[in-house]
Amino acid sequence: MEKSSDRAPSVEHCDEIYKGFNYGAGIDFLTSFRTAKTLVGTSGFSSARLYTMIEANTTNTPTSAISAAIATNTSLLLGLYCSAGQLAFENETIALTAAIVAYGQPFVDLIAGISVGSEDLYRSSPVGIQNKSPPGDTAANLVSYIDQTRSVLNSTLNGIAKHKKVGHVDTWQMWQSAEGIANVLSAVDFVGVDAYPYWQKNDSNAIANDITFFEQAYQATLAAVGDKEVWVTETGWPVTGSTFGQAVPSKENAQRYWVDVGCGRLFGKVNTWWYTLQDYPTAEGAPGFGVVNTIQNSTALFDLSCKMNGTGNGNSTRSVGSAGVGGTSTACGGAVATGSTGTGTGVLEGSTSSTMPVSTAYVTSTVVVVPTPAGKVRRRWRI
């Protein structure tokens, strides 16, 4: 049954700054989207990032997230999975085509953008392979997939969705790589960046340095991609799991990261999809990033009201949306670099001031979706 709070006029979302969560396949999207919009202590979490266009346990049926998004007026950063070869990608485009035809303008109006792939360059990099990541893909193949996606948008229903922005999501280090810049950057409208200080175990990645390392990742991406829009597609701090380097998962640290990076730097300034509303860690000791322990409960595991209890005050020393020195802010896209960027140095009240170099260590773990031979999609940790 539709709730009165779900109903809203069908509008083009392009001029707003998006704020929401990441969602895997095979979940109750309707309940999840309603919970996200009603989380105690928050407002405006009305966007969802997806990793695939395909409903779980089907070959190419459009994801049920679309009908849930229409019912709840939730905008969507769509995702097309790219690391299983051309035939699998064709199923993604079949699902995208079918969704546009079936849902028409109400669906198109909710599209924040389309991400072709997620961390494919990282998973195919030497570091990704060393970390035993699932298969990735090459920049050349990603460019081909981006072109195929644009062809679908241009040709389906007289190009009803042809104006939607198409991008790619990868770790912040990959946007520094020659392959990522030279082959993919020119093909996209926006850059999606995944940045987790928690995973930088080769650095001093204690929670006291959360702003420092996030800022470095973000500013390094801005500097590398020129005038492309940069959207923060994944970031967060785990509530549970094993200590990684100096990074300790806990409710208190997750709250501090939410306040420092989310409230202080991102929300309302830069298109942001937090990782994550509810998490499902499967391995012993694997970190759990979920802000709720069940989607039926709108009370989070820690205070989301942007107030910090304990060390740090949650106030940023510089707005990420300003892109550092010489930067500008754009509607829908957040910050883009138009001049020199800041150094990435952050200072927290209640902690020791520190200046740290941008790490050369790559992110060593994150969540991806991996299609099975039957066309199913499951979430899997790479470690």
Side-chain angles (χ1 to χ4, degrees):
M1 177 181 297
E2 182 184 40
K3 295 184 178 181
S4 59
S5 60
D6 295 336
R7 293 194 295 269
S10 176
V11 296
E12 174 61 62
H13 280 68
C14 184
D15 292 330
E16 67 182 77
I17 301 298
Y18 298 104
K19 183 172 67 173
F21 294 97
N22 288 264
Y23 297 89
I27 67 170
D28 180 349
F29 290 107
L30 186 62
T31 301
S32 296
F33 294 169
R34 285 174 171 164
T35 296
K37 295 179 77 171
T38 58
L39 284 170
V40 174
T42 74
S43 64
F45 279 86
S46 56
S47 193
R49 179 190 171 217
L50 309 177
Y51 293 87
T52 177
M53 285 299 305
I54 301 172
E55 179 70 3
N57 302 317
T58 74
T59 300
N60 50 33
T61 300
T63 172
S64 58
I66 298 171
S67 60
I70 294 172
T72 58
N73 196 39
T74 297
S75 63
L76 296 172
L77 175 54
L78 302 176
L80 281 73
Y81 188 75
C82 290
S83 289
Q86 176 62 35
L87 291 179
F89 186 76
E90 288 177 4
N91 283 326
E92 293 281 350
T93 59
I94 288 171
L96 175 60
T97 302
I100 295 172
V101 171
Y103 296 104
Q105 196 67 53
F107 167 46
V108 172
D109 285 346
L110 292 172
I111 298 176
I114 300 117
S115 172
V116 179
S118 179
E119 299 193 1
D120 308 87
L121 295 175
Y122 166 79
R123 296 198 305 278
S124 63
S125 72
V127 175
I129 294 170
Q130 178 183 345
N131 289 333
K132 299 180 181 180
S133 301
D137 216 328
T138 65
N141 283 343
L142 286 176
V143 171
S144 174
Y145 295 150
I146 290 168
D147 290 343
Q148 293 174 54
T149 301
R150 292 192 190 278
S151 178
V152 168
L153 299 177
N154 289 333
S155 62
T156 305
L157 283 189
N158 296 316
I160 190 175
K162 66 182 180 181
H163 61 294
K164 294 300 179 178
K165 293 176 181 177
V166 179
H168 171 68
V169 169
D170 231 296
T171 64
W172 68 272
Q173 295 92 343
M174 285 296 98
W175 292 115
Q176 322 304 309
S177 71
E179 182 182 30
I181 296 300
N183 298 88
V184 178
L185 190 59
S186 62
V188 299
D189 301 315
F190 71 88
V191 163
V193 61
D194 295 350
Y196 292 90
Y198 171 81
W199 290 121
Q200 294 182 223
K201 70 174 182 179
N202 293 331
D203 301 308
S204 300
N205 63 336
I207 189 62
N209 298 317
D210 58 348
I211 293 179
T212 298
F213 285 125
F214 177 83
E215 182 79 353
Q216 288 176 346
Y218 192 83
Q219 295 293 341
T221 304
L222 290 174
V225 305
D227 62 354
K228 298 290 183 178
E229 296 181 5
V230 176
W231 302 359
V232 177
T233 41
E234 287 184 31
T235 195
W237 193 278
V239 174
T240 60
S242 300
T243 297
F244 199 72
Q246 298 179 26
V248 180
S250 70
K251 294 178 182 178
E252 293 76 17
N253 287 347
Q255 183 199 7
R256 176 164 177 171
Y257 192 81
W258 175 274
V259 171
D260 287 348
V261 175
C263 303
R265 299 305 187 93
L266 296 177
F267 300 154
K269 305 179 183 75
V270 180
N271 289 338
T272 302
W273 290 269
W274 200 261
Y275 198 85
T276 187
L277 182 64
Q278 184 179 11
D279 206 356
Y280 307 88
T282 56
E284 183 177 353
F289 287 79
V291 302
V292 299
N293 58 11
T294 172
I295 57 172
Q296 283 74 33
N297 189 353
S298 60
T299 299
L301 294 168
F302 53 89
D303 186 358
L304 302 180
S305 65
C306 291
K307 299 176 182 178
M308 189 67 226
N309 298 320
T311 60
N313 65 358
N315 294 322
S316 63
T317 59
R318 179 170 68 250
S319 168
V320 163
S322 67
V325 178
T328 61
S329 181
T330 61
C332 242
V336 296
T338 59
S340 61
T341 59
T343 62
T345 300
V347 179
L348 289 173
E349 290 189 17
S351 66
T352 302
S353 171
S354 62
T355 303
M356 300 184 183
V358 175
S359 172
T360 57
Y362 288 88
V363 175
T364 57
S365 183
T366 192
V367 172
V368 295
V369 289
V370 183
T372 66
K376 301 174 184 179
V377 176
R378 65 183 184 273
R379 298 173 71 256
R380 176 179 176 182
W381 284 97
R382 70 163 183 268
I383 54 176

